Amino acid sequence: MWCWRKCFRVALKRMLNFNVPHVKNSTGEPVWKVLIYDRFGQDIISPLLSVKELRDMGITLHLLLHSDRDPIPDVPAVYFVMPTEENIDRICQDLRNQLYESYYLNFISAISRSKLEDIANAALAASAVTQVAKVFDQYLNFITLEDDMFVLCNQNKELVSYRAINRPDITDTEMETVMDTIVDSLFCFFVTLGAVPIIRCSRGTAAEMVAVKLDKKLRENLRDARNSLFTGDTLGAGQFSFQRPLLVLIDRNIDLATPLHHTWTYQALVHDVLDFHLNRVNLEESSGMENSPAGARPKRKNKKSYDLTPVDKFWQKHKGSPFPEVAESVQQELESYRAQEDEVKRLKSIMGLEGEDEGAISMLSDNTAKLTSAVSSLPELLEKKRLIDLHTNVATAVLEHIKARKLDVYFEYEEKIMSKTTLDKSLLDIISDPDAGTPEDKMRLFLIYYISAQQAPSEADLEQYKKALTDAGCNLNPLQYIKQWKAFAKMASAPTSYGNTTTKPMGLLSRVMNTGSQFVMEGVKNLVLKQQNLPVTRILDNLMEMKSNPETDDYRYFDPKMLRGNDSSVPRNKNPFQEAIVFVVGGGNYIEYQNLVDYIKGKQGKHILYGCSELFNATQFIKQLSQLGQK
């Protein structure tokens, strides 16, 4: 498997090993050290390395830079922080206080010369020059969430949000700051990857501003051959085939319907309805109220956190599956586990060993080989049980939302709107139904209808819809913004097409309808997804396969390796690309990501990566639209 994530893990491990390549099976104990990071560093490390992996690398303590820290004078400290004024001041303070034996300073983005001088002066004043062992620019200013997905930043994401880019009152200086922040992170990404991309983008958008700045930054770095970050022993070298990757920069405004869409796949649903953040989901366990005496204070709900990472095989296999399929798979796993558990109990019972310990079992004759084998697989069995419990809890929480808000109905209806299929129920009926979803669900549905409509509804119809939405408790600010956006865009081309296929309702799954099932799916439709390319996937397909299409024929083309800037939309490269990075300026979502994953499955030997300036769910996106629509 050609894996981008591995490249970034290697970069982090090298840093934690004092910037020396980390050898897995080296003999001897690792050097014990302390890891000091800021919130940015914490967000970058947490999806990539577990606490156990950190411990294996000798990290005994990991502390936030701005927390109260006691001196540990005989231990080296590895710092991983952004080169901000505040962080530099704190590092200088640590040097003055002689907190650690030695200091390995790693900056997430490149540090300026003036800030380096501040550290040097502080080290001189504290007589700690010899203790500053290494200072490195790591170029790791992005967060890798999946083998094929990254996001720019989690802290200060308001700075690069959809709202920040589309604010009507934004000044040129503020816009420059937003664009520079995005470009800095993308530059870090390509340095870590060790590849210079060919860049394509649409004209007259924020994506074009990013493309121009990124092209310039890459070009300037390549011009200085001695100090170029793309020559010599780069970490990403060898990750690519001989052909360079394609970077497709897409503006969020080309498709505002997808981020609002109710979804039906496991990962996207978890992100939409639960608290899912940097690959960790937080659940509130419902506390049992049944035995509470009258008038007693209700018990506090327990909060549980689960990591949903590539290590979890069930998650890896099913995160892109339709939800009913996931419910069925959890049930199958549970039955398989119970069968294995019963087999161990049965064997013990036959041999009269129920009360014996494992040591006595292993000392028995050859006839016990079966039992010994069953017992030796217990750790694996326990891990299986842990994952079953995890996904039972997560899937149950998702199912509660689906039932309470009729999310299957919304998903099916929106699919029909987006694919221009005949609707079997009027939009007003769903908006006016007090049992169908939350006010936000209704607003999402109406906005998708409004965005996808070939012709905007008449003023009279719109007033009727507005009244129904207001009666349902909806805030109309998001609609206000979408109206302005649609008028401004003048829909230069026809509204984005979402394909003409739709979901097919299937007979309810018999297995998950069994009374013994954990998941009672009654009243929930089992909708099976049909593959259709969303706008972002379609644009990528045109550019990656070098197809001529009115949608992308006018896209600008940049090659930072060309001596002179090539301001044209005529690609020099005529061969289809093998590797591509799709990056959405203004925010992305798991629906788009999953659509790209499904698309590339049918393309042998090709690989794509999805990135975005921020990862939001529909609730967060609606909030931004609401702020933009305020008068």
Side-chain angles (χ1 to χ4, degrees), residues 18 27 39 78 80 99 147-148 165 229 247 287 300 307 353 375 384 387 429 432 494 512 517-518 560 588:
F18 305 127
T27 51
R39 294 280 181 201
V78 176
F80 185 49
L99 288 191
D147 288 349
D148 46 11
I165 296 168
L229 295 158
L247 169 64
S287 49
R300 285 183 63 183
D307 289 323
L353 288 170
V375 170
K384 193 174 184 179
L387 289 180
D429 285 351
S432 309
V512 293
S517 169
Q518 292 276 345

Side-chain angles (χ1 to χ4, degrees), residues 167-181:
R167 264 175 44 217
D169 58 344
I170 191 167
T171 64
D172 288 351
T173 318
E174 286 171 329
M175 194 60 155
E176 288 286 322
T177 307
V178 174
M179 295 298 123
D180 287 340
T181 306

Side-chain angles (χ1 to χ4, degrees), residues 129-141:
V129 174
T130 53
Q131 288 166 272
V132 180
K134 284 183 181 177
V135 180
F136 263 83
D137 289 333
Q138 288 295 346
Y139 294 99
L140 286 169
N141 190 14

Side-chain angles (χ1 to χ4, degrees), residues 424-486:
D424 50 4
K425 193 175 181 183
S426 98
L427 196 59
L428 272 174
D429 285 351
I430 296 185
I431 294 170
S432 309
D433 181 353
D435 297 326
T438 62
E440 186 187 279
D441 290 325
K442 293 173 182 186
M443 181 47 86
R444 282 164 67 176
L445 173 68
F446 183 71
L447 289 178
I448 288 170
Y449 161 74
Y450 191 82
I451 291 164
S452 307
Q454 294 282 4
Q455 236 179 337
S458 67
E459 276 304 314
D461 285 349
L462 191 57
E463 283 310 312
Q464 200 179 356
Y465 283 124
K466 277 183 171 177
K467 183 182 182 311
L469 288 164
T470 308
D471 291 347
C474 297
N475 169 1
L476 296 183
N477 284 344
L479 175 59
Q480 192 57 37
Y481 172 73
I482 293 293
K483 271 183 77 177
Q484 293 164 2
W485 166 78
K486 204 161 178 175

Side-chain angles (χ1 to χ4, degrees), residues 399-595:
L399 183 59
E400 282 169 10
H401 279 274
I402 292 173
K403 286 181 165 182
R405 292 162 53 187
K406 298 190 177 173
L407 298 185
D408 51 334
V409 175
Y410 277 95
F411 169 70
E412 189 182 17
Y413 201 88
E414 287 164 5
E415 286 277 300
K416 286 179 176 173
I417 290 173
M418 290 162 83
S419 58
K420 312 282 186 285
T421 312
T422 318
L423 303 174
D424 50 4
K425 193 175 181 183
S426 98
L427 196 59
L428 272 174
D429 285 351
I430 296 185
I431 294 170
S432 309
D433 181 353
D435 297 326
T438 62
E440 186 187 279
D441 290 325
K442 293 173 182 186
M443 181 47 86
R444 282 164 67 176
L445 173 68
F446 183 71
L447 289 178
I448 288 170
Y449 161 74
Y450 191 82
I451 291 164
S452 307
Q454 294 282 4
Q455 236 179 337
S458 67
E459 276 304 314
D461 285 349
L462 191 57
E463 283 310 312
Q464 200 179 356
Y465 283 124
K466 277 183 171 177
K467 183 182 182 311
L469 288 164
T470 308
D471 291 347
C474 297
N475 169 1
L476 296 183
N477 284 344
L479 175 59
Q480 192 57 37
Y481 172 73
I482 293 293
K483 271 183 77 177
Q484 293 164 2
W485 166 78
K486 204 161 178 175
F488 178 72
K490 280 275 187 277
M491 301 321 275
S493 55
T496 308
S497 150
Y498 294 87
N500 53 9
T501 55
T502 184
T503 48
K504 290 271 192 324
M506 301 285 283
L508 282 166
L509 289 168
S510 55
R511 177 177 288 277
V512 293
M513 290 302 294
N514 289 345
T515 46
S517 169
Q518 292 276 345
F519 304 99
V520 183
M521 301 283 285
E522 283 168 61
V524 176
K525 290 184 180 179
N526 175 26
L527 300 163
V528 174
L529 295 164
K530 282 197 78 178
Q531 180 58 34
Q532 59 184 35
N533 287 345
L534 291 173
V536 166
T537 306
R538 238 184 12 254
I539 289 167
L540 171 81
D541 180 52
N542 291 339
L543 296 173
M544 201 172 176
E545 301 295 340
M546 307 301 290
K547 293 176 182 174
S548 177
N549 188 297
E551 200 173 15
T552 50
D553 283 348
D554 195 36
Y555 268 50
R556 288 189 68 180
Y557 177 95
F558 297 88
D559 184 349
K561 282 193 171 181
M562 299 282 290
L563 285 172
R564 274 199 301 275
N566 179 19
D567 184 17
S568 83
S569 56
V570 182
R572 302 232 161 190
N573 175 45
K574 295 284 183 251
N575 298 321
F577 286 86
Q578 296 303 305
E579 285 103 28
I581 296 105
V582 179
F583 185 84
V584 186
V585 178
N589 54 78
Y590 281 110
I591 306 172
E592 252 163 18
Y593 161 68
Q594 191 56 51
N595 196 248

